[in-house]
């Protein structure tokens, strides 16, 4: 409304300016063929993430995570509960950069269950962290109460060794994950999908693992899930790799795992560049720039068609601008132009699920980090 009033005002009092403005207006027609569908999404297409980042995760001298980590998010906040219930059912993907350094306090865990600490030389500058089962119980009670559909990202680096640069080698040690899943089943907690690893595909972000090794570990994980869930009616999906699309790596992963292992291929998208960009808002308002991401979706769908028609494409994490999003941009109305456009592109390419980074935390939360009140993008999916 404000814009139209302003435009009219300018038009009346200042003809030269109105000429400039009218140049930007083009008329067109939009024809919607409501009888044919282009693609199908999953019934639970909308998804948001909860990350592991602690309070002292900072980018560009800004520390926007507060107490929104899966470890310490205040689950008793009425606004948080209502926001999730309002999108019922909302898919929640638990994961993020520190996921591959999380230990679970269960079974024969040898090391003490400690929180993430800043650590020089640590992956992403942090030590290993740990999820206590008491917290896992609280989280599941919360998910049950809010009707959330849960995807949990497992630590896929456990037992591997770091070699030169970012490459990690050796077999995955499944013990701790096995005990954790087994505990989860024994408590009757419903996990919709288990995801394996975060951003370890291709060159990786911080760390990478070869596709052949990754595939071998996924086959093992699938066998163990099949055994553990043998007597249960509901079988959770196995999804991976939760990383950036790299054609050779993704093609190979599907070839190595073969049919019946991966239910979905998850990929991450941050197509707006760094959160520090002072021109972030104009990037968001540039339709051509937004459409560049179509090549990723298109190539991803080719990969699935050719090597793994049994699996689906999911966007496992997308926040627009990386490194915690853009301050005073990613949590404001202008960000919706990126978000809605990308939801549309993703669904056009048969993406079944799209997880927004984040439900809360960073500058791109659907909810405000400290007040828990909904930001404009929250309303884009109501
Ligand atoms: C996070 O929680 C701690 C401990 O309860 C508190 O001291 C701190 O102020 C909180 N931080 C934010 C940003 O709310
Ligand atoms: C919540 O837990 C109860 C008891 O285990 C179960 O019957 C119900 O299906 C759960 N609801 C959801 C939404 O997971
Ligand atoms: C959260 O809300 C407070 C108070 O309105 C505001 O000052 C702050 O910038 C918001 N934080 C984020 C990350 O959106």
């Amino acid at each position: 409304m404000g814009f139209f009033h302003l435009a009219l005002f300018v038009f009346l009092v200042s003809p030269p300016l109105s000429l400039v403005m009218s140049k930007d207006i083009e008329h067109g027609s939009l024809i919607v063929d409501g009888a044919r569908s282009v693609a199908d999404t999953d019934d639970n297409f909308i998804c948001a993430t909860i990350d592991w980042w602690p309070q002292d995760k900072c980018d560009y001298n800004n520390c926007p995570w507060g107490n929104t980590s899966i470890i310490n998010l205040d689950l008793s906040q009425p606004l948080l509960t209502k926001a999730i219930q309002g999108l019922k059912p909302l898919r929640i993907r638990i994961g993020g950069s520190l996921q591959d350094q999380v230990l679970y306090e269960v079974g024969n865990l040898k090391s003490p269950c400690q929180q993430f600490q800043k650590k020089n030389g640590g992956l992403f500058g942090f030590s290993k962290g740990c999820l206590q089962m008491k917290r896992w119980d609280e989280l599941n009670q919360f998910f049950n109460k809010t009707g959330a559909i849960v995807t949990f990202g497992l630590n896929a680096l456990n037992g591997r060794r770091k070699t030169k640069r970012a490459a990690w080698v050796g077999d995955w040690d499944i013990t701790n994950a096995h005990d954790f899943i087994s505990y989860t089943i024994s408590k009757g907690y419903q996990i919709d999908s288990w995801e394996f690893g975060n951003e370890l595909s291709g060159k990786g972000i911080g760390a990478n693992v070869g596709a052949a090794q990754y595939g071998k570990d996924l086959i093992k994980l699938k066998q163990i899930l099949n055994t553990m869930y043998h007597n249960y009616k509901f079988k959770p999906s196995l999804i991976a790799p939760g990383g950036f699309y790299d054609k050779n790596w993704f093609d190979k992963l599907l070839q190595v795992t073969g049919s019946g292992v991966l239910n979905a291929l998850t990929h991450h998208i941050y197509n707006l560049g760094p959160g520090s960009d002072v021109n972030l808002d104009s990037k968001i308002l540039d339709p051509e720039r937004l459409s560049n991401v179509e090549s990723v979706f298109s190539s991803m769908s080719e990969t699935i068609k050719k090597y793994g028609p049994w699996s689906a494409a999911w966007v496992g994490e997308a926040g627009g601008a990386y490194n915690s999003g853009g301050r005073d941009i990613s949590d404001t109305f202008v960000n919706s132009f990126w978000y809605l456009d990308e939801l549309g592109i993703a669904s056009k390419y048969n993406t079944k699920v799209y997880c927004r980074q984040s439900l809360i935390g960073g500058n791109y939360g659907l909810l405000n980090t400290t007040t828990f009140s909904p930001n404009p993008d929250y309303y884009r999916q109501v």
Side-chain angles (χ1 to χ4, degrees):
M1 261 327 239
F3 174 76
F4 285 109
H5 286 155
L6 178 70
L8 188 64
F9 175 75
V10 170
F11 194 63
L12 292 174
V13 300
S14 172
L17 235 187
S18 78
L19 282 177
V20 174
M21 292 193 72
S22 64
K23 264 205 327 211
D24 294 328
I25 296 172
E26 283 176 33
H27 291 274
S29 14
L30 178 68
I31 298 164
V32 177
D33 178 356
R36 252 173 359 117
S37 70
V38 179
D40 292 306
T41 59
D42 189 271
D43 287 342
N44 305 304
F45 178 63
I46 290 298
C47 163
T49 66
I50 302 181
D51 210 311
W52 294 94
W53 287 123
Q55 249 194 103
D56 48 356
K57 153 71 172 166
C58 308
D59 298 282
Y60 322 116
N61 297 319
N62 174 222
C63 312
W65 289 87
N67 297 318
T68 61
S69 162
I70 194 71
I71 301 279
N72 67 8
L73 179 62
D74 182 359
L75 305 174
S76 70
Q77 288 282 340
L79 272 179
L80 181 64
T81 300
K82 289 208 178 97
I84 297 173
Q85 286 173 336
L87 298 178
K88 207 167 184 172
L90 176 67
R91 229 179 235 287
I92 293 183
R93 177 250 183 184
I94 298 168
S97 302
L98 296 182
Q99 153 187 339
D100 296 303
Q101 297 186 88
V102 176
L103 299 172
Y104 317 109
E105 184 208 28
V106 65
N108 298 317
L109 181 64
K110 302 271 178 352
S111 33
C113 192
Q114 283 170 344
Q115 291 320 307
F116 288 112
Q117 309 254 316
K118 283 234 158 158
K119 182 184 170 190
N120 280 336
L123 197 52
F124 304 103
F126 284 92
S127 67
K128 285 183 180 171
C130 182
L131 176 64
Q132 298 186 337
M133 290 307 100
K134 180 170 155 285
R135 176 67 177 171
W136 186 229
D137 295 340
E138 290 165 6
L139 284 161
N140 279 283
Q141 214 168 50
F142 176 76
F143 295 142
N144 184 287
K145 179 175 83 174
T146 53
I149 297 175
V150 180
T151 294
F152 187 93
L154 295 166
N155 175 345
L157 283 183
N158 213 3
R160 303 195 208 274
R161 312 184 301 282
K162 184 176 190 288
T163 61
K164 61 179 182 356
R165 298 211 179 131
W168 290 59
V169 297
D171 286 340
W172 178 52
D173 181 349
I174 197 170
T175 319
N176 193 223
H178 172 278
D179 294 347
F180 175 58
I181 296 169
S182 169
Y183 175 88
T184 303
I185 295 173
S186 76
K187 290 283 186 167
Y189 300 151
Q190 280 258 344
I191 302 300
D192 171 83
S193 28
W194 293 101
E195 190 174 30
F196 186 60
N198 184 80
E199 298 179 354
L200 302 169
S201 53
K203 292 199 180 74
I205 304 292
N208 67 63
V209 175
Q213 175 69 57
Y214 215 82
K216 190 174 138 195
D217 296 323
L218 275 168
I219 292 170
K220 189 160 71 179
L221 176 55
K222 185 69 168 196
Q223 280 166 352
I224 279 172
L225 287 176
N226 284 344
T227 307
M228 286 198 285
Y229 282 96
H230 181 69
N231 292 321
Y232 293 82
K233 214 160 72 200
F234 180 80
K235 319 262 183 221
S237 308
L238 176 59
I239 66 178
F244 289 91
Y245 179 74
D246 173 294
K247 181 172 163 28
N248 291 335
W249 199 99
F250 275 61
D251 285 358
K252 184 149 180 196
L253 186 70
L254 282 176
Q255 287 172 284
V256 171
T257 49
S259 69
V261 173
L262 275 177
N263 302 96
L265 274 186
T266 45
H267 67 121
H268 293 184
I269 293 192
Y270 283 88
N271 58 318
L272 295 174
S276 59
D277 189 342
V278 293
N279 294 317
L280 187 56
D281 53 348
S282 46
K283 281 181 170 175
I284 291 171
L285 294 173
D286 179 350
E288 270 174 48
R289 198 178 194 289
L290 294 183
S291 294
N292 286 341
V293 76
E294 291 209 33
S295 61
V296 174
F297 284 101
S298 158
S299 192
M300 177 77 171
S301 64
E302 287 302 313
T303 288
I304 286 180
K305 222 184 278 170
K306 196 154 170 202
Y307 298 108
W310 54 84
S311 67
W314 286 23
V315 170
E317 185 188 311
Y322 58 77
N323 290 342
S324 305
R327 201 174 175 181
D328 299 328
I329 298 281
S330 302
D331 58 347
T332 63
F333 181 75
V334 73
N335 197 59
S336 305
F337 289 90
W338 160 76
Y339 188 35
L340 287 177
D341 189 65
E342 200 154 293
L343 287 174
I345 294 174
S347 44
K348 197 173 88 180
Y349 284 93
N350 228 5
T351 302
K352 300 300 177 194
V353 171
Y354 185 103
C355 299
R356 162 68 180 259
Q357 173 90 343
S358 63
L359 175 64
I360 186 162
N363 294 306
Y364 38 35
L366 296 177
L367 306 178
N368 182 294
T369 300
T370 49
T371 65
F372 291 79
S373 59
N375 286 325
D377 279 357
Y378 174 85
Y379 297 101
R380 300 295 156 247
Q381 54 229 334
V382 176

